[in-house]
Amino acid sequence: MGKLEETWMIVSVSILVIFMAIVGYQTFALGMGPPSNKDIIDPQKVDEQAPFDEPGVFEVGENKYEVVMTLETFAFNPGDIEVPVGAEVEFIMTSKDVSHGIQIPGTNLNAMVLPGHIQRITQVFNEPGEYLILCNEYCGIGHQAMFTKITVK
Amino acid sequence: MASAKKNTHQDHSAKGTIASVSIVAIVIVLMWIGVFSLYMARI
Ligand SMILES: [Cu+2]
């Protein structure tokens, strides 16, 4: 193997190892892994089962909030959400019909919400304002109308 | 004879190859840093 080939091998392997080390540290040490909650639920009985029998925004601790949310064609329930600036907000979500998505542009909150599965994702909103919440998974004829907002103040 | 055959491979210059793969490497690293910074800026 030539000298330059050796250089290339070392550089490329190092790049891969460094990337994996950083992403691994983020995921396992800082808890920044992609949303991957594994709870399941009967999608036809969402309304009868806790916590989805009572969707809403709940204060669960000091500066900690829980948003229990159901997604269905073509709405988020609860619709208008309000949380304080800097609060840790955990979204607990499931779908009542088809596959939906949730995305808040300008933040890292972006996940699929599938029928039969309970998705959890935590976000801190450090800037006050109105954020758009939208479905980013094509879910039917009214998909483009599936959005709402979250007010942070 | 066998050793002579082995050496012919080494005669080619790898400078062009290292230059082009380095460009690819720089593009990959810059894109990765870009996505990483975007993610961290939104935490
Ligand atoms: Cu949808």
PDB file of all heavy atoms in Angstrom, chain A residues 78-111:
ATOM      1  N   PRO A  78     -54.894  18.501  22.481  1.00  0.00           N
ATOM      2  CA  PRO A  78     -55.460  19.853  22.443  1.00  0.00           C
ATOM      3  C   PRO A  78     -54.896  20.713  21.308  1.00  0.00           C
ATOM      4  O   PRO A  78     -53.790  20.457  20.834  1.00  0.00           O
ATOM      5  CB  PRO A  78     -55.021  20.434  23.792  1.00  0.00           C
ATOM      6  CG  PRO A  78     -53.750  19.738  24.103  1.00  0.00           C
ATOM      7  CD  PRO A  78     -53.904  18.355  23.562  1.00  0.00           C
ATOM      8  N   GLY A  79     -55.677  21.687  20.910  1.00  0.00           N
ATOM      9  CA  GLY A  79     -55.277  22.559  19.811  1.00  0.00           C
ATOM     10  C   GLY A  79     -54.313  23.635  20.247  1.00  0.00           C
ATOM     11  O   GLY A  79     -53.119  23.530  20.020  1.00  0.00           O
ATOM     12  N   ASP A  80     -54.822  24.654  20.909  1.00  0.00           N
ATOM     13  CA  ASP A  80     -53.952  25.761  21.316  1.00  0.00           C
ATOM     14  C   ASP A  80     -53.302  25.460  22.652  1.00  0.00           C
ATOM     15  O   ASP A  80     -53.964  25.345  23.671  1.00  0.00           O
ATOM     16  CB  ASP A  80     -54.748  27.062  21.378  1.00  0.00           C
ATOM     17  CG  ASP A  80     -55.128  27.527  19.979  1.00  0.00           C
ATOM     18  OD1 ASP A  80     -54.403  27.171  19.036  1.00  0.00           O
ATOM     19  OD2 ASP A  80     -56.149  28.223  19.837  1.00  0.00           O
ATOM     20  N   ILE A  81     -51.977  25.371  22.624  1.00  0.00           N
ATOM     21  CA  ILE A  81     -51.227  25.020  23.820  1.00  0.00           C
ATOM     22  C   ILE A  81     -50.467  26.255  24.292  1.00  0.00           C
ATOM     23  O   ILE A  81     -49.992  27.036  23.468  1.00  0.00           O
ATOM     24  CB  ILE A  81     -50.233  23.887  23.492  1.00  0.00           C
ATOM     25  CG1 ILE A  81     -50.999  22.652  23.014  1.00  0.00           C
ATOM     26  CG2 ILE A  81     -49.363  23.536  24.684  1.00  0.00           C
ATOM     27  CD1 ILE A  81     -50.129  21.627  22.340  1.00  0.00           C
ATOM     28  N   GLU A  82     -50.371  26.396  25.606  1.00  0.00           N
ATOM     29  CA  GLU A  82     -49.598  27.513  26.132  1.00  0.00           C
ATOM     30  C   GLU A  82     -48.672  26.994  27.228  1.00  0.00           C
ATOM     31  O   GLU A  82     -49.097  26.289  28.134  1.00  0.00           O
ATOM     32  CB  GLU A  82     -50.555  28.556  26.703  1.00  0.00           C
ATOM     33  CG  GLU A  82     -49.980  29.961  26.673  1.00  0.00           C
ATOM     34  CD  GLU A  82     -50.963  30.988  27.231  1.00  0.00           C
ATOM     35  OE1 GLU A  82     -52.001  31.206  26.582  1.00  0.00           O
ATOM     36  OE2 GLU A  82     -50.676  31.521  28.305  1.00  0.00           O
ATOM     37  N   VAL A  83     -47.377  27.330  27.107  1.00  0.00           N
ATOM     38  CA  VAL A  83     -46.407  26.934  28.129  1.00  0.00           C
ATOM     39  C   VAL A  83     -45.480  28.120  28.421  1.00  0.00           C
ATOM     40  O   VAL A  83     -45.298  28.986  27.574  1.00  0.00           O
ATOM     41  CB  VAL A  83     -45.562  25.703  27.678  1.00  0.00           C
ATOM     42  CG1 VAL A  83     -46.384  24.444  27.627  1.00  0.00           C
ATOM     43  CG2 VAL A  83     -44.861  25.953  26.353  1.00  0.00           C
ATOM     44  N   PRO A  84     -44.880  28.156  29.627  1.00  0.00           N
ATOM     45  CA  PRO A  84     -43.966  29.257  29.936  1.00  0.00           C
ATOM     46  C   PRO A  84     -42.603  29.082  29.265  1.00  0.00           C
ATOM     47  O   PRO A  84     -42.202  27.961  28.935  1.00  0.00           O
ATOM     48  CB  PRO A  84     -43.824  29.193  31.457  1.00  0.00           C
ATOM     49  CG  PRO A  84     -44.539  28.003  31.920  1.00  0.00           C
ATOM     50  CD  PRO A  84     -45.093  27.267  30.776  1.00  0.00           C
ATOM     51  N   VAL A  85     -41.904  30.201  29.105  1.00  0.00           N
ATOM     52  CA  VAL A  85     -40.559  30.183  28.518  1.00  0.00           C
ATOM     53  C   VAL A  85     -39.617  29.366  29.404  1.00  0.00           C
ATOM     54  O   VAL A  85     -39.668  29.458  30.626  1.00  0.00           O
ATOM     55  CB  VAL A  85     -39.997  31.626  28.412  1.00  0.00           C
ATOM     56  CG1 VAL A  85     -38.601  31.618  27.801  1.00  0.00           C
ATOM     57  CG2 VAL A  85     -40.910  32.496  27.581  1.00  0.00           C
ATOM     58  N   GLY A  86     -38.798  28.554  28.787  1.00  0.00           N
ATOM     59  CA  GLY A  86     -37.776  27.811  29.520  1.00  0.00           C
ATOM     60  C   GLY A  86     -38.266  26.547  30.192  1.00  0.00           C
ATOM     61  O   GLY A  86     -37.489  25.833  30.810  1.00  0.00           O
ATOM     62  N   ALA A  87     -39.553  26.254  30.081  1.00  0.00           N
ATOM     63  CA  ALA A  87     -40.080  25.053  30.724  1.00  0.00           C
ATOM     64  C   ALA A  87     -39.736  23.816  29.898  1.00  0.00           C
ATOM     65  O   ALA A  87     -39.594  23.883  28.682  1.00  0.00           O
ATOM     66  CB  ALA A  87     -41.591  25.160  30.888  1.00  0.00           C
ATOM     67  N   GLU A  88     -39.591  22.682  30.625  1.00  0.00           N
ATOM     68  CA  GLU A  88     -39.323  21.423  29.947  1.00  0.00           C
ATOM     69  C   GLU A  88     -40.678  20.815  29.597  1.00  0.00           C
ATOM     70  O   GLU A  88     -41.461  20.489  30.494  1.00  0.00           O
ATOM     71  CB  GLU A  88     -38.554  20.519  30.901  1.00  0.00           C
ATOM     72  CG  GLU A  88     -37.730  19.462  30.216  1.00  0.00           C
ATOM     73  CD  GLU A  88     -36.983  18.636  31.254  1.00  0.00           C
ATOM     74  OE1 GLU A  88     -36.090  19.173  31.928  1.00  0.00           O
ATOM     75  OE2 GLU A  88     -37.331  17.445  31.387  1.00  0.00           O
ATOM     76  N   VAL A  89     -40.961  20.683  28.340  1.00  0.00           N
ATOM     77  CA  VAL A  89     -42.281  20.213  27.914  1.00  0.00           C
ATOM     78  C   VAL A  89     -42.157  18.837  27.269  1.00  0.00           C
ATOM     79  O   VAL A  89     -41.439  18.664  26.284  1.00  0.00           O
ATOM     80  CB  VAL A  89     -42.919  21.189  26.898  1.00  0.00           C
ATOM     81  CG1 VAL A  89     -44.343  20.764  26.574  1.00  0.00           C
ATOM     82  CG2 VAL A  89     -42.892  22.624  27.419  1.00  0.00           C
ATOM     83  N   GLU A  90     -42.829  17.866  27.882  1.00  0.00           N
ATOM     84  CA  GLU A  90     -42.816  16.534  27.283  1.00  0.00           C
ATOM     85  C   GLU A  90     -44.130  16.291  26.563  1.00  0.00           C
ATOM     86  O   GLU A  90     -45.199  16.380  27.159  1.00  0.00           O
ATOM     87  CB  GLU A  90     -42.589  15.441  28.334  1.00  0.00           C
ATOM     88  CG  GLU A  90     -42.485  14.071  27.666  1.00  0.00           C
ATOM     89  CD  GLU A  90     -42.179  12.923  28.621  1.00  0.00           C
ATOM     90  OE1 GLU A  90     -42.547  13.018  29.801  1.00  0.00           O
ATOM     91  OE2 GLU A  90     -41.582  11.941  28.170  1.00  0.00           O
ATOM     92  N   PHE A  91     -44.038  15.977  25.288  1.00  0.00           N
ATOM     93  CA  PHE A  91     -45.224  15.662  24.500  1.00  0.00           C
ATOM     94  C   PHE A  91     -45.414  14.152  24.515  1.00  0.00           C
ATOM     95  O   PHE A  91     -44.492  13.397  24.196  1.00  0.00           O
ATOM     96  CB  PHE A  91     -45.041  16.136  23.056  1.00  0.00           C
ATOM     97  CG  PHE A  91     -44.978  17.643  22.906  1.00  0.00           C
ATOM     98  CD1 PHE A  91     -43.799  18.324  23.159  1.00  0.00           C
ATOM     99  CD2 PHE A  91     -46.102  18.358  22.523  1.00  0.00           C
ATOM    100  CE1 PHE A  91     -43.735  19.713  23.026  1.00  0.00           C
ATOM    101  CE2 PHE A  91     -46.046  19.747  22.387  1.00  0.00           C
ATOM    102  CZ  PHE A  91     -44.872  20.431  22.644  1.00  0.00           C
ATOM    103  N   ILE A  92     -46.615  13.722  24.922  1.00  0.00           N
ATOM    104  CA  ILE A  92     -46.947  12.300  24.920  1.00  0.00           C
ATOM    105  C   ILE A  92     -48.084  12.145  23.921  1.00  0.00           C
ATOM    106  O   ILE A  92     -49.155  12.724  24.109  1.00  0.00           O
ATOM    107  CB  ILE A  92     -47.377  11.825  26.323  1.00  0.00           C
ATOM    108  CG1 ILE A  92     -46.266  12.149  27.325  1.00  0.00           C
ATOM    109  CG2 ILE A  92     -47.697  10.329  26.331  1.00  0.00           C
ATOM    110  CD1 ILE A  92     -46.701  12.066  28.766  1.00  0.00           C
ATOM    111  N   MET A  93     -47.840  11.413  22.866  1.00  0.00           N
ATOM    112  CA  MET A  93     -48.785  11.457  21.747  1.00  0.00           C
ATOM    113  C   MET A  93     -49.095  10.078  21.192  1.00  0.00           C
ATOM    114  O   MET A  93     -48.268   9.169  21.240  1.00  0.00           O
ATOM    115  CB  MET A  93     -48.166  12.283  20.617  1.00  0.00           C
ATOM    116  CG  MET A  93     -47.819  13.700  21.015  1.00  0.00           C
ATOM    117  SD  MET A  93     -46.701  14.483  19.839  1.00  0.00           S
ATOM    118  CE  MET A  93     -45.211  13.556  20.096  1.00  0.00           C
ATOM    119  N   THR A  94     -50.298   9.969  20.643  1.00  0.00           N
ATOM    120  CA  THR A  94     -50.626   8.784  19.863  1.00  0.00           C
ATOM    121  C   THR A  94     -51.640   9.175  18.791  1.00  0.00           C
ATOM    122  O   THR A  94     -52.242  10.234  18.853  1.00  0.00           O
ATOM    123  CB  THR A  94     -51.144   7.624  20.737  1.00  0.00           C
ATOM    124  OG1 THR A  94     -51.125   6.419  19.951  1.00  0.00           O
ATOM    125  CG2 THR A  94     -52.561   7.870  21.240  1.00  0.00           C
ATOM    126  N   SER A  95     -51.771   8.297  17.802  1.00  0.00           N
ATOM    127  CA  SER A  95     -52.697   8.572  16.711  1.00  0.00           C
ATOM    128  C   SER A  95     -53.958   7.741  16.888  1.00  0.00           C
ATOM    129  O   SER A  95     -53.905   6.609  17.374  1.00  0.00           O
ATOM    130  CB  SER A  95     -52.032   8.224  15.383  1.00  0.00           C
ATOM    131  OG  SER A  95     -53.001   8.198  14.363  1.00  0.00           O
ATOM    132  N   LYS A  96     -55.094   8.318  16.489  1.00  0.00           N
ATOM    133  CA  LYS A  96     -56.353   7.592  16.594  1.00  0.00           C
ATOM    134  C   LYS A  96     -56.733   6.937  15.266  1.00  0.00           C
ATOM    135  O   LYS A  96     -57.706   6.203  15.191  1.00  0.00           O
ATOM    136  CB  LYS A  96     -57.470   8.534  17.045  1.00  0.00           C
ATOM    137  CG  LYS A  96     -57.349   8.897  18.510  1.00  0.00           C
ATOM    138  CD  LYS A  96     -58.112  10.145  18.853  1.00  0.00           C
ATOM    139  CE  LYS A  96     -59.595   9.908  18.959  1.00  0.00           C
ATOM    140  NZ  LYS A  96     -60.279  11.113  19.501  1.00  0.00           N
ATOM    141  N   ASP A  97     -56.001   7.233  14.223  1.00  0.00           N
ATOM    142  CA  ASP A  97     -56.326   6.621  12.933  1.00  0.00           C
ATOM    143  C   ASP A  97     -55.074   6.246  12.122  1.00  0.00           C
ATOM    144  O   ASP A  97     -54.557   5.157  12.281  1.00  0.00           O
ATOM    145  CB  ASP A  97     -57.274   7.528  12.130  1.00  0.00           C
ATOM    146  CG  ASP A  97     -56.939   9.007  12.272  1.00  0.00           C
ATOM    147  OD1 ASP A  97     -55.753   9.338  12.115  1.00  0.00           O
ATOM    148  OD2 ASP A  97     -57.861   9.805  12.529  1.00  0.00           O
ATOM    149  N   VAL A  98     -54.595   7.152  11.296  1.00  0.00           N
ATOM    150  CA  VAL A  98     -53.480   6.813  10.401  1.00  0.00           C
ATOM    151  C   VAL A  98     -52.166   7.363  10.941  1.00  0.00           C
ATOM    152  O   VAL A  98     -52.126   7.968  12.005  1.00  0.00           O
ATOM    153  CB  VAL A  98     -53.755   7.358   8.979  1.00  0.00           C
ATOM    154  CG1 VAL A  98     -55.006   6.728   8.396  1.00  0.00           C
ATOM    155  CG2 VAL A  98     -53.872   8.878   8.980  1.00  0.00           C
ATOM    156  N   SER A  99     -51.091   7.165  10.193  1.00  0.00           N
ATOM    157  CA  SER A  99     -49.781   7.689  10.590  1.00  0.00           C
ATOM    158  C   SER A  99     -49.757   9.211  10.438  1.00  0.00           C
ATOM    159  O   SER A  99     -50.114   9.735   9.394  1.00  0.00           O
ATOM    160  CB  SER A  99     -48.688   7.100   9.703  1.00  0.00           C
ATOM    161  OG  SER A  99     -48.677   5.712   9.825  1.00  0.00           O
ATOM    162  N   HIS A 100     -49.350   9.871  11.506  1.00  0.00           N
ATOM    163  CA  HIS A 100     -49.173  11.321  11.459  1.00  0.00           C
ATOM    164  C   HIS A 100     -47.748  11.648  11.859  1.00  0.00           C
ATOM    165  O   HIS A 100     -46.981  10.776  12.256  1.00  0.00           O
ATOM    166  CB  HIS A 100     -50.133  12.010  12.441  1.00  0.00           C
ATOM    167  CG  HIS A 100     -51.574  11.868  12.072  1.00  0.00           C
ATOM    168  ND1 HIS A 100     -52.161  12.597  11.076  1.00  0.00           N
ATOM    169  CD2 HIS A 100     -52.555  11.075  12.576  1.00  0.00           C
ATOM    170  CE1 HIS A 100     -53.441  12.260  10.980  1.00  0.00           C
ATOM    171  NE2 HIS A 100     -53.699  11.326  11.878  1.00  0.00           N
ATOM    172  N   GLY A 101     -47.438  12.939  11.763  1.00  0.00           N
ATOM    173  CA  GLY A 101     -46.130  13.397  12.221  1.00  0.00           C
ATOM    174  C   GLY A 101     -46.338  14.660  13.016  1.00  0.00           C
ATOM    175  O   GLY A 101     -47.389  15.290  12.949  1.00  0.00           O
ATOM    176  N   ILE A 102     -45.321  15.007  13.806  1.00  0.00           N
ATOM    177  CA  ILE A 102     -45.379  16.293  14.494  1.00  0.00           C
ATOM    178  C   ILE A 102     -44.033  16.975  14.311  1.00  0.00           C
ATOM    179  O   ILE A 102     -42.991  16.352  14.472  1.00  0.00           O
ATOM    180  CB  ILE A 102     -45.755  16.158  15.986  1.00  0.00           C
ATOM    181  CG1 ILE A 102     -45.816  17.555  16.645  1.00  0.00           C
ATOM    182  CG2 ILE A 102     -44.803  15.244  16.734  1.00  0.00           C
ATOM    183  CD1 ILE A 102     -46.453  17.569  18.029  1.00  0.00           C
ATOM    184  N   GLN A 103     -44.112  18.236  13.924  1.00  0.00           N
ATOM    185  CA  GLN A 103     -42.888  19.008  13.747  1.00  0.00           C
ATOM    186  C   GLN A 103     -43.144  20.428  14.197  1.00  0.00           C
ATOM    187  O   GLN A 103     -44.222  20.990  13.955  1.00  0.00           O
ATOM    188  CB  GLN A 103     -42.464  19.010  12.278  1.00  0.00           C
ATOM    189  CG  GLN A 103     -41.177  19.799  12.068  1.00  0.00           C
ATOM    190  CD  GLN A 103     -40.688  19.746  10.636  1.00  0.00           C
ATOM    191  OE1 GLN A 103     -41.380  19.286   9.741  1.00  0.00           O
ATOM    192  NE2 GLN A 103     -39.482  20.233  10.413  1.00  0.00           N
ATOM    193  N   ILE A 104     -42.181  20.996  14.910  1.00  0.00           N
ATOM    194  CA  ILE A 104     -42.250  22.412  15.259  1.00  0.00           C
ATOM    195  C   ILE A 104     -41.050  23.070  14.599  1.00  0.00           C
ATOM    196  O   ILE A 104     -39.918  22.921  15.075  1.00  0.00           O
ATOM    197  CB  ILE A 104     -42.270  22.622  16.791  1.00  0.00           C
ATOM    198  CG1 ILE A 104     -43.460  21.861  17.398  1.00  0.00           C
ATOM    199  CG2 ILE A 104     -42.353  24.113  17.119  1.00  0.00           C
ATOM    200  CD1 ILE A 104     -43.647  22.052  18.885  1.00  0.00           C
ATOM    201  N   PRO A 105     -41.271  23.757  13.468  1.00  0.00           N
ATOM    202  CA  PRO A 105     -40.154  24.354  12.737  1.00  0.00           C
ATOM    203  C   PRO A 105     -39.348  25.303  13.629  1.00  0.00           C
ATOM    204  O   PRO A 105     -39.914  25.996  14.465  1.00  0.00           O
ATOM    205  CB  PRO A 105     -40.840  25.127  11.604  1.00  0.00           C
ATOM    206  CG  PRO A 105     -42.164  24.477  11.423  1.00  0.00           C
ATOM    207  CD  PRO A 105     -42.567  24.013  12.798  1.00  0.00           C
ATOM    208  N   GLY A 106     -38.038  25.291  13.466  1.00  0.00           N
ATOM    209  CA  GLY A 106     -37.159  26.134  14.275  1.00  0.00           C
ATOM    210  C   GLY A 106     -36.698  25.450  15.547  1.00  0.00           C
ATOM    211  O   GLY A 106     -35.887  25.988  16.288  1.00  0.00           O
ATOM    212  N   THR A 107     -37.232  24.241  15.812  1.00  0.00           N
ATOM    213  CA  THR A 107     -36.784  23.459  16.963  1.00  0.00           C
ATOM    214  C   THR A 107     -36.388  22.063  16.464  1.00  0.00           C
ATOM    215  O   THR A 107     -36.570  21.757  15.290  1.00  0.00           O
ATOM    216  CB  THR A 107     -37.902  23.285  18.009  1.00  0.00           C
ATOM    217  OG1 THR A 107     -38.878  22.374  17.488  1.00  0.00           O
ATOM    218  CG2 THR A 107     -38.586  24.601  18.332  1.00  0.00           C
ATOM    219  N   ASN A 108     -35.895  21.249  17.383  1.00  0.00           N
ATOM    220  CA  ASN A 108     -35.550  19.879  16.998  1.00  0.00           C
ATOM    221  C   ASN A 108     -36.727  18.932  17.151  1.00  0.00           C
ATOM    222  O   ASN A 108     -36.576  17.721  16.984  1.00  0.00           O
ATOM    223  CB  ASN A 108     -34.386  19.373  17.850  1.00  0.00           C
ATOM    224  CG  ASN A 108     -33.094  20.046  17.467  1.00  0.00           C
ATOM    225  OD1 ASN A 108     -32.862  20.374  16.319  1.00  0.00           O
ATOM    226  ND2 ASN A 108     -32.236  20.275  18.458  1.00  0.00           N
ATOM    227  N   LEU A 109     -37.894  19.456  17.514  1.00  0.00           N
ATOM    228  CA  LEU A 109     -39.035  18.573  17.731  1.00  0.00           C
ATOM    229  C   LEU A 109     -39.573  18.109  16.387  1.00  0.00           C
ATOM    230  O   LEU A 109     -40.101  18.905  15.611  1.00  0.00           O
ATOM    231  CB  LEU A 109     -40.115  19.301  18.551  1.00  0.00           C
ATOM    232  CG  LEU A 109     -41.155  18.381  19.184  1.00  0.00           C
ATOM    233  CD1 LEU A 109     -41.657  18.957  20.479  1.00  0.00           C
ATOM    234  CD2 LEU A 109     -42.296  18.084  18.241  1.00  0.00           C
ATOM    235  N   ASN A 110     -39.411  16.839  16.140  1.00  0.00           N
ATOM    236  CA  ASN A 110     -39.814  16.263  14.859  1.00  0.00           C
ATOM    237  C   ASN A 110     -39.925  14.759  15.045  1.00  0.00           C
ATOM    238  O   ASN A 110     -38.936  14.090  15.325  1.00  0.00           O
ATOM    239  CB  ASN A 110     -38.743  16.604  13.811  1.00  0.00           C
ATOM    240  CG  ASN A 110     -39.138  16.196  12.412  1.00  0.00           C
ATOM    241  OD1 ASN A 110     -40.014  15.357  12.223  1.00  0.00           O
ATOM    242  ND2 ASN A 110     -38.483  16.784  11.430  1.00  0.00           N
ATOM    243  N   ALA A 111     -41.140  14.224  14.964  1.00  0.00           N
ATOM    244  CA  ALA A 111     -41.314  12.796  15.204  1.00  0.00           C
ATOM    245  C   ALA A 111     -42.510  12.251  14.442  1.00  0.00           C
ATOM    246  O   ALA A 111     -43.404  12.992  14.051  1.00  0.00           O
ATOM    247  CB  ALA A 111     -41.509  12.541  16.701  1.00  0.00           C
TER     248      ALA A 111
END
